[in-house]
Amino acid sequence: MSEEQRKVFEGSSGSTAMALDKRRIPETESDTWHQSLDITPSDFPYLQRLMEESFEEWKRESSGLEMVSKSDWVIIGPKGEWVAGSLELQDYFLAGDDDTLKCVLEFKKTLTSSSEERLGGKTICAVPIFSRIHHDLFAVLISVSPAYIDSEQIQFMTESSAITLKVCFYRRFENIFIKDMTKLHRLAERDASRRSNLFQYVRRMHTQIDVDGVFTELLDSILVFYPYVNVHLFMSQDHQSSHPLVHPLLLHHWQEEVYVRTFMEGALTVCEDTEREKAEIGVPVGGKQGVYGVLHLQVKQDQVWEIDLELLGMMADAAGTAFENAKLYEQSNLMIYELRMINDLTQQLSKSLQLTDIYQFASDELLKILSAEYCCILSYNEDFGGLEVVSCNVPALVGEIFEKNYGLGGLVYHSKESMFLADYLEEHPMESKLMESTGSNSMMATPLMVNGEVRGVILLTHRKRHYFSYDNYRLLQALTSHIGLAVGNASLHAEVRWMANRDMLTELYARHYLDEAIHECQNRDFCGSLIVVDIDEFKQVNDTFGHQRGDKILKQVSNIVKTSIRHSDIAARWGGEELAVYLPGLGIEQAFQVAERIRLRVSEETDPRVTVSCGISEWSWEHDRISVESLFYRADMALYDAKNGGRNRIVIEKTEVSE
């Protein structure tokens, strides 16, 4: 820069600098807060876009001024870098050879001078632009005007334009802060609204004491916040909900489903489909114990940004906690209900010691408690070596005996493990006459344990698929254990009664039982006969072969008696070597045939060979009723006659019949 130019810059621009200094915005109490905002040198690297926008705004506002339109305009940064302006002048000023710009940047004062020949002798005027408070140079406005315009006019025009440009700049600068403040205000309002809504939601959520209420509150709240979304709730818990938007979470083909992937990973998932312009959002619903389900939302792709994912996460967490509390409340009520049911069932079962009554009552109660359609109780029958249907509400199956390895009952019996089927047609582990004859699809089965051993199987079925829940399954197991105790008690009682009513050596009934049975038959039947059987010369057998051999002979004769009579006939040990057989509903002639069959078999089948003598008496409704004692006395007298008449004989009440 020449000495002449320096003098011109320092002299002519001094008054202008003072004028610009006087245009500083006064700091008075009337200033608004945004008027005190200003830029600092640390902001300069980021002003490019703002200066470009301000420059464009100034050009639009000044487009009607003739002198402005006749000139070319450029904005240069505080370090001589290009900011905006006429592109024809960009290379020139970027070269850094212009002395006018150098002086302005160095001395920070307005300067007007004639340009070099490559600009066609035009007049250049450069006006520094300072920050409003600290007066830091942040830009230079340069006008390149035709030489025929007066230089003073050019300088005035450029300085005025610089002021206008500065106003445009600070207006946009203030707008940025206002927008930011507005945005922060909106965010604060949104956050306050979100907190308020979340607070109300959580309060409503924790007033719910049932699981369906938790589901309804969650889904309804989501639809209030985002009415345009397609929302579903997939739950993995064993809970059947009536809400149309709640579905079971099935883990088939889980890689392809967003909600299943969310459940497996336990984290929020957002998946966008650009082809269909849709997006899926999966939010895990969990609590302290784990993830229970997934909130699944489907929206248009351009609406994803409107969804507050953080809010969704907090709502899902609150729902998960409320779900846990509701399940605990539900389980406590269920436990109380189960204990009450178990107590009632135990009391009712203890009222009877008859196995048939216990099985029938247990079947009826299980159908009622567990809301099943069919119940079948199988018990192992030692005589037939199979599982017998001892109780069932399908009459055609009652009394039927299956092999131990047949069907679902046989599988449970051998494995000693409970079984749960949700869909018999799909799973079909084995054939089942119960399932197929009733058209059932759901089944629960558990072994009937008595004194630690499997004595049978209990099966409950329903025609609906996925009908029984895990709670039903668990309750069945608890109830079955108490049924097993009742069956064990009844079996023990029956065994004790059997032992009390049986002779331990011969396994025939004891005499007192025979007395009671004859008395009952006399009250029920129209006639009956009594045979008293005595082993001939039994004392001699004991003396010859010993008492152990004698006991064996007594057992042989007892077995012959048992296998020579009907199932309804009653054989008992009357005392010592004497046996008695009561034949309900048979007359004296039929009784004689039975006695003869016994006499002949004993003489042929015993080892060592022995014989028996028999005495027979009868009663009939046509004659005067006789007592049990009288019936025995008359048969005993007939036996006495048979023994005295030579033994190996049958005598009928004063009437003798020879061999």
Side-chain angles (χ1 to χ4, degrees):
M1 180 185 296
S2 64
E3 191 67 19
E4 183 179 354
Q5 286 178 322
R6 188 178 299 277
K7 289 180 179 180
V8 171
F9 178 83
E10 294 177 349
S12 62
S13 61
S15 59
T16 304
M18 289 296 294
L20 288 174
D21 188 64
K22 291 179 180 179
R23 294 190 186 99
R24 290 179 55 201
I25 299 176
E27 297 180 1
T28 63
E29 294 181 359
S30 62
D31 291 341
T32 58
W33 66 270
H34 59 82
Q35 288 179 325
S36 62
L37 296 174
D38 200 4
I39 59 175
T40 63
S42 61
D43 299 321
F44 293 170
Y46 311 104
L47 299 179
Q48 175 78 25
R49 183 177 180 82
L50 185 59
M51 289 298 302
E52 291 177 355
E53 293 174 350
S54 302
F55 180 70
E56 294 298 327
E57 181 183 356
W58 167 79
K59 285 182 63 177
R60 288 194 301 271
E61 293 181 356
S62 304
S63 60
L65 299 177
E66 182 179 358
M67 292 186 63
V68 172
S69 61
K70 290 181 178 180
S71 303
D72 294 321
W73 298 88
V74 173
I75 298 179
I76 300 298
K79 295 183 178 180
E81 68 275 15
W82 177 268
V83 177
S86 177
L87 296 178
E88 292 85 359
L89 301 175
Q90 184 174 4
D91 294 338
Y92 172 77
F93 285 104
L94 283 178
D97 298 332
D98 187 76
D99 292 337
T100 303
L101 177 59
K102 290 180 179 179
C103 289
V104 172
L105 293 174
E106 182 179 355
F107 295 100
K108 303 178 182 178
K109 294 182 179 180
T110 301
L111 178 62
T112 302
S113 63
S114 297
S115 66
E116 300 179 3
E117 292 183 359
R118 51 181 170 168
L119 291 181
K122 294 183 178 181
T123 302
I124 297 177
C125 181
V127 179
I129 302 176
F130 301 96
S131 61
R132 59 166 47 154
I133 295 176
H134 301 291
H135 308 292
D136 295 317
L137 176 67
F138 67 89
V140 176
L141 179 62
I142 301 174
S143 64
V144 181
S145 307
Y148 61 81
I149 301 177
D150 184 68
S151 60
E152 291 186 1
Q153 292 181 343
I154 293 174
Q155 182 172 334
F156 179 77
M157 174 190 66
T158 307
E159 291 176 346
S160 301
S161 298
I163 295 173
T164 306
L165 177 61
K166 184 176 180 179
V167 171
C168 293
F169 171 81
Y170 273 100
R171 182 166 60 200
R172 287 186 171 273
F173 179 69
E174 292 167 4
N175 285 341
I176 292 175
F177 280 90
I178 293 173
K179 288 180 180 179
D180 288 343
M181 291 297 294
T182 303
K183 182 178 179 181
L184 290 174
H185 180 68
R186 285 199 304 267
L187 291 175
E189 287 184 340
R190 175 186 171 185
D191 191 50
S193 176
R194 184 176 71 174
R195 286 197 301 269
S196 176
N197 292 333
L198 185 61
F199 173 77
Q200 297 297 331
Y201 164 79
V202 171
R203 186 171 66 176
R204 293 193 306 271
M205 185 65 74
H206 286 285
T207 59
Q208 304 295 333
I209 57 174
D210 65 284
V211 175
D212 283 333
V214 172
F215 293 159
T216 301
E217 181 61 41
L218 172 61
L219 293 167
D220 289 350
S221 298
I222 294 295
L223 291 174
V224 168
F225 293 152
Y226 308 108
Y228 49 85
V229 304
N230 182 14
V231 60
H232 295 277
L233 181 61
F234 293 90
M235 295 299 297
S236 65
Q237 282 291 313
D238 187 15
H239 180 82
Q240 296 180 351
S241 175
S242 58
H243 200 290
L245 299 180
V246 179
H247 311 285
L249 195 154
L250 304 177
L251 300 182
H252 300 306
H253 311 295
W254 65 269
Q255 298 91 339
E256 302 175 5
E257 301 293 346
V258 171
Y259 62 88
V260 180
R261 180 150 39 99
T262 302
F263 176 78
M264 299 295 291
E265 297 176 358
L268 188 143
T269 305
V270 179
C271 182
E272 298 187 24
D273 189 342
T274 55
E275 293 183 0
R276 296 191 300 168
E277 297 183 352
K278 291 185 178 181
E280 293 182 72
I281 301 173
V283 186
V285 179
K288 295 180 179 179
Q289 303 301 320
V291 178
Y292 305 111
V294 174
L295 188 65
H296 184 245
L297 289 80
Q298 292 178 311
V299 296
K300 294 181 179 179
Q301 192 173 13
D302 57 356
Q303 292 177 326
V304 174
W305 67 273
E306 300 178 13
I307 306 296
D308 190 339
L309 299 179
E310 185 179 3
L311 176 62
L312 283 180
M314 289 187 288
M315 293 178 67
D317 290 342
T321 302
F323 175 80
E324 281 185 335
N325 295 336
K327 286 296 287 185
L328 288 174
Y329 179 79
E330 185 181 86
Q331 289 170 0
S332 64
N333 287 338
L334 180 61
M335 186 175 296
I336 294 172
Y337 170 78
E338 290 178 359
L339 291 174
R340 186 181 296 116
M341 291 296 102
I342 292 172
N343 182 58
D344 293 343
L345 180 67
T346 303
Q347 290 181 356
Q348 294 297 325
L349 289 172
S350 63
K351 291 181 179 180
S352 176
L353 291 173
Q354 297 296 322
L355 280 174
T356 54
D357 295 340
I358 290 174
Y359 286 135
Q360 185 60 48
F361 176 77
S363 177
D364 295 340
E365 288 299 304
L366 290 175
L367 287 170
K368 182 173 62 176
I369 293 173
L370 298 170
S371 301
E373 286 185 330
Y374 303 100
C375 177
C376 180
I377 300 180
L378 303 171
S379 178
Y380 180 67
N381 188 314
E382 294 182 357
D383 295 334
F384 295 96
L387 294 173
E388 179 184 3
V389 180
V390 292
S391 179
C392 184
N393 58 334
V394 181
L397 295 179
V398 177
E400 191 167 349
I401 298 176
F402 299 96
E403 294 182 4
K404 290 194 297 181
N405 58 354
Y406 171 79
L408 298 175
L411 183 60
V412 174
Y413 180 82
H414 282 286
S415 66
K416 301 180 182 181
E417 297 289 339
S418 300
M419 179 180 290
F420 188 95
L421 288 180
D423 191 338
Y424 173 73
L425 292 178
E426 181 179 345
E427 300 177 40
H428 203 276
M430 294 191 73
E431 291 185 2
S432 172
K433 190 170 183 179
L434 174 65
M435 299 294 285
E436 293 169 2
S437 62
T438 59
S440 297
N441 284 296
S442 298
M443 187 212 71
M444 298 186 297
T446 183
L448 181 61
M449 306 293 293
V450 178
N451 298 325
E453 297 181 357
V454 181
R455 287 281 297 274
V457 179
I458 296 179
L459 300 97
L460 288 174
T461 72
H462 200 282
R463 284 173 291 183
K464 289 184 179 179
R465 294 183 176 91
H466 303 279
Y467 179 77
F468 296 112
S469 66
Y470 175 75
D471 292 330
N472 297 145
Y473 181 59
R474 187 170 49 82
L475 179 57
L476 172 62
Q477 292 175 314
L479 294 173
T480 301
S481 65
H482 289 272
I483 295 172
L485 290 175
V487 171
N489 291 336
S491 300
L492 181 61
H493 181 264
E495 184 177 351
V496 171
R497 284 192 60 188
W498 187 91
M499 294 175 64
N501 294 326
R502 298 274 180 170
D503 175 70
M504 298 305 296
L505 177 63
T506 63
E507 294 187 356
L508 299 178
Y509 285 107
R511 178 173 178 175
H512 69 87
Y513 179 82
L514 182 62
D515 292 346
E516 295 173 0
I518 294 174
H519 182 74
E520 291 179 2
C521 289
Q522 285 184 328
N523 293 330
R524 180 183 69 237
D525 300 333
F526 59 89
C527 69
S529 299
L530 176 67
I531 304 174
V532 178
V533 181
D534 182 76
I535 301 175
D536 298 328
E537 298 179 339
F538 189 68
K539 183 178 183 303
Q540 184 178 352
V541 172
N542 283 332
D543 293 342
T544 303
F545 299 102
H547 287 280
Q548 289 185 344
R549 195 64 175 269
D551 290 344
K552 184 177 180 181
I553 291 296
L554 186 58
K555 289 182 181 180
Q556 291 179 13
V557 174
S558 298
N559 288 332
I560 291 172
V561 170
K562 283 192 294 184
T563 57
S564 299
I565 61 177
R566 300 172 301 174
H567 181 71
S568 58
D569 298 334
I570 304 168
R573 185 179 183 185
W574 196 28
E577 70 275 13
E578 294 183 346
L579 310 177
V581 180
Y582 179 73
L583 309 171
L586 296 185
I588 199 89
E589 294 180 359
Q590 295 167 311
F592 174 78
Q593 294 176 2
V594 173
E596 180 65 11
R597 182 164 60 246
I598 293 173
R599 188 187 69 82
L600 291 175
R601 288 187 61 189
V602 169
S603 65
E604 295 173 356
E605 299 177 12
T606 53
D607 181 26
R609 186 176 181 271
V610 295
T611 60
V612 294
S613 298
C614 302
I616 303 175
S617 64
E618 70 168 346
W619 70 272
S620 174
W621 63 275
E622 296 177 346
H623 306 102
D624 294 335
R625 181 173 178 179
I626 63 175
S627 65
V628 175
E629 292 78 7
S630 177
L631 188 66
F632 269 104
Y633 176 77
R634 290 161 58 183
D636 192 36
M637 289 299 99
L639 175 64
Y640 180 79
D641 293 341
K643 301 281 281 185
N644 288 335
R647 298 184 179 85
N648 195 20
R649 293 173 178 272
I650 301 173
V651 174
I652 301 174
E653 291 188 290
K654 303 295 183 182
T655 302
E656 181 178 335
V657 180
S658 300
E659 298 184 47

